[in-house]
Amino acid sequence: MNRVYVCSCFGVTDKQVKEHAAAGACTPRQIASATKAGTDCGSCVRTIQGILGRGACPRRELLEKGDAAAVLAADPAPQLAEAA
């Protein structure tokens, strides 16, 4: 199995970032809340931004519609199983 590490400080892989993004994390800050990636040296933040891209973000879409209550009610850091 070929692992591509995004964050060397905390051993976070691109697969983990993609899983959290699929579960609703839209920003590097939300990825950091879930994985700690980007909270130590910070060199992986741009890579995380690249993985997240500018695709659809449910929270951003809710904010644009003016539904801030739904954004606040959403779980900011979905807990996923650790990648083996």
Side-chain angles (χ1 to χ4, degrees):
M1 181 175 179
N2 188 13
R3 292 185 183 164
V4 177
Y5 287 95
V6 172
C7 176
S8 299
C9 298
F10 294 104
V12 178
T13 65
D14 62 336
K15 180 181 175 185
Q16 289 172 297
V17 172
K18 290 174 185 177
E19 287 173 349
H20 285 288
C26 311
T27 66
R29 183 172 286 177
Q30 291 169 338
I31 297 295
S33 293
T35 66
K36 294 187 180 181
T39 62
D40 194 24
C41 78
S43 66
C44 61
V45 174
R46 291 208 182 231
T47 303
I48 293 169
Q49 288 173 328
I51 292 171
L52 295 175
R54 295 189 179 263
C57 177
R59 288 182 180 89
R60 189 177 310 122
E61 291 169 4
L62 288 171
L63 281 173
E64 288 171 357
K65 291 179 182 177
D67 195 356
V71 174
L72 294 173
D75 182 11
Q79 298 300 316
L80 299 177
E82 290 293 319

